[in-house]
Amino acid sequence: MLDRRAPLRLLALCLVLSVAACSSPAPESPVFAQPSGSAAALGAASAAPSAAPSASASGRPSASPVVRAAPKSALAVGVRTLKFTRGDRALPTTVWYPATGKAGGSPRKDAAAAAGRFPVVLFSHGLHGLPTNYQQLTTRLAAAGFVVAAPAYPFTNRDANPFKPADMENQPADGSAVLTALLKLDGKSGDLLAGHLDGGHLGVAGHSAGGFTSAGMLANTRDTRVDAAIVISGGSMGTFRGTRTPVLFVHGDADAVVSYQTGRNAYSATSWPRAFLTLLGGDHGAFLGPGAKGFDQTIKTMTDFLRWTLWGDAAAKARLSADGTRAGVAKFEAKL
């Protein structure tokens, strides 16, 4: 078994992550990241309302009982902040979601949700980060048909006092608690998200410490509800357990904070369906800034990976290699 504390010790030495992504301004116009091509290639129909999911024996809502199709064009984006907790651990969570209205522009606070039931993605920030630091990713995912929930972890976020980087060991359980609390809103009468959360299709993603957190939710603190994971500039928190779950690793090969080899080792140790996007010359996270080298390849690959794993979009899977391949910028490899 891999030493799950080794990455914690590594990140404990990096109390301040000097990465562009952690201070990037939020984009004013969310873009539905996709390769060029006809709208028909992105899905046969827009998401449609479905019957409320029933709870399984494990307490997890079942998947939508109707035929599901990913949105074929960009959606407007709404945003809200929710106060969740796990015991005495405060987990304020920013949620971006598909909303009614015209696509584009800034996310609208507390906007009405778009018609339909949407897969849920938990996004975890890096050390000294905040959910809003990653709005350039989360808004695009929401516009593509996902509800994205991003908690601020109590001892690793930018405003944490005291700041405890090794507390990331507790964050996988925090992430699971946030998912559980969020999914309860699907059946809460009058809530903005009631009837819009597809609890049968859940993904996790995160950057740096958040990448380790996402991997941890598949390992020693395995959340059996998770159907897909994206690990950005991160690595393993232990041997993956349970049902085979597709994992996408994203890493710059010049990362001086979490080494490229750390990501490669996690990829090599994974026997599940897996993919690796290498940002050529990429550091720890500058490629996460809109307009930066590698950003387009990163967001397109992430979006299509989630469209495939959570929406069942076969065409999106077929696009992955093209999404993540550009000479001198990025290369993509996979065993899916």
Side-chain angles (χ1 to χ4, degrees):
M1 178 181 294
L2 296 174
D3 179 4
R4 68 191 293 256
R5 293 185 179 275
L8 302 183
R9 290 195 294 267
L10 170 65
L11 287 179
L13 298 175
C14 306
L15 301 186
V16 179
L17 302 182
S18 55
V19 297
C22 287
S23 58
S24 299
E28 294 185 357
S29 179
V31 175
F32 185 43
Q34 61 189 54
S36 59
S38 66
L42 298 176
S46 297
S50 60
S54 58
S56 67
S58 65
R60 177 187 185 186
S62 62
S64 169
V66 300
V67 175
R68 304 168 66 250
K72 63 181 179 180
S73 59
L75 299 168
V77 176
V79 63
R80 64 188 300 199
T81 301
L82 300 170
K83 294 182 179 180
F84 296 139
T85 59
R86 181 171 74 91
D88 61 354
R89 296 170 65 84
L91 296 165
T93 300
T94 304
V95 181
W96 293 268
Y97 55 92
T100 57
K102 184 179 179 180
S106 299
R108 303 196 322 274
K109 184 178 180 181
D110 297 330
R117 193 179 292 283
F118 303 96
V120 175
V121 177
L122 179 88
F123 193 94
S124 296
H125 64 75
L127 297 183
H128 280 308
L130 287 174
T132 51
N133 295 149
Y134 298 92
Q135 186 165 277
Q136 65 271 24
L137 302 177
T138 58
T139 53
R140 285 164 167 79
L141 293 177
F146 302 93
V147 174
V148 184
Y153 294 107
F155 295 107
T156 64
N157 75 75
R158 186 195 67 188
D159 302 321
N161 185 16
F163 178 73
K164 300 178 182 179
D167 188 66
M168 61 178 278
E169 182 178 15
N170 296 309
Q171 291 180 180
D174 289 339
S176 292
V178 168
L179 286 174
T180 297
L182 179 67
L183 292 177
K184 288 180 180 179
L185 300 182
D186 188 69
K188 184 178 179 180
S189 179
D191 191 87
L192 284 172
L193 296 176
H196 297 289
L197 301 174
D198 183 354
H201 297 90
L202 306 182
V204 295
H207 171 241
S208 191
F212 283 101
T213 297
S214 299
M217 294 179 72
L218 300 179
N220 299 288
T221 49
R222 174 67 156 126
D223 189 322
T224 59
R225 301 170 297 180
V226 175
D227 302 303
I230 300 176
V231 178
I232 307 170
S233 303
S236 172
M237 282 186 76
T239 302
F240 291 164
R241 303 173 183 275
T243 304
R244 291 167 58 83
T245 299
V247 184
L248 168 65
F249 296 89
V250 180
H251 219 116
D253 62 6
D255 191 336
V257 177
V258 177
S259 72
Y260 179 64
Q261 193 59 49
T262 297
R264 295 299 307 182
N265 289 345
Y267 175 75
S268 297
T270 303
S271 61
W272 296 346
R274 62 198 186 276
F276 202 105
L277 175 66
T278 297
L279 285 306
L280 301 174
D283 63 9
H284 191 58
F287 57 86
L288 298 179
K293 176 184 175 182
F295 177 78
D296 287 347
Q297 288 69 38
T298 299
I299 190 60
K300 287 178 181 179
T301 303
M302 288 178 60
T303 301
D304 274 340
F305 179 79
L306 292 172
R307 285 174 67 91
W308 164 54
T309 54
L310 302 185
W311 276 109
D313 185 346
K317 180 182 180 182
R319 290 193 295 268
L320 285 171
S321 181
D323 289 343
T325 302
R326 184 175 179 182
V329 177
K331 66 176 182 180
F332 178 85
E333 58 193 287
K335 295 182 179 181
L336 300 174

